[in-house]
Amino acid sequence: PKDCDVRVTVVGDAVFACRIDSQHAARTEVDWRVDPDLCRYSVLDLPEWARDACREIVRQAGLHYGAIDLVLSAGGEFVFLENNPGGQYLWLEIDTGLPITEALIGHFQSLM
């Protein structure tokens, strides 16, 4: 059983975590992507070890960006699902105020 889903967006060394409350609607209990409009989104303070692990997943893949999906179990355990190197993020920025676009611009400007 899961408490919620988690989307972690990694941009270079910056890590943005979002809690996806998906368990209150039957349509999104298993997969929140079935109907993301039914979910609620909020900023999640990810433990340092989890932030480091997400950065490392992106780094090891040779990427500058990753959209990592996790599940937070009812027992408080994080379970890795996938890293999508082209995953969307804008709706999370709009709903939570996370400055992901600003981080992307800054990161890629620093590479020039």
Side-chain angles (χ1 to χ4, degrees):
K2 64 180 168 178
D3 176 45
C4 67
D5 291 280
V6 178
R7 168 61 67 90
V8 180
T9 306
V10 178
V11 179
D13 288 328
V15 177
F16 304 95
C18 182
R19 177 184 175 94
I20 303 171
D21 287 308
S22 56
Q23 298 305 288
H24 65 279
R27 284 181 48 85
T28 58
E29 278 181 331
V30 174
D31 187 348
W32 63 270
R33 297 170 302 173
V34 171
D35 197 342
D37 291 336
L38 292 178
C39 299
R40 294 183 298 266
Y41 306 94
S42 58
V43 175
L44 177 68
D45 186 19
L46 212 55
E48 185 65 33
W49 68 265
R51 286 194 301 271
D52 290 344
C54 289
R55 279 189 205 101
E56 190 61 22
I57 287 168
V58 173
R59 239 184 244 126
Q60 287 290 320
L63 302 169
H64 294 271
Y65 173 88
I68 297 172
D69 288 323
L70 307 172
V71 165
L72 179 58
S73 76
E77 191 172 67
F78 287 98
V79 178
F80 174 81
L81 298 177
E82 68 174 337
N83 174 35
N84 184 340
Q88 297 180 26
Y89 70 89
L90 190 57
W91 92 99
L92 297 174
E93 185 173 87
I94 291 167
D95 282 0
T96 65
L98 289 169
I100 301 169
T101 300
E102 183 179 318
L104 279 165
I105 293 167
H107 179 72
F108 288 110
Q109 284 178 333
S110 74
L111 298 176
M112 299 172 89

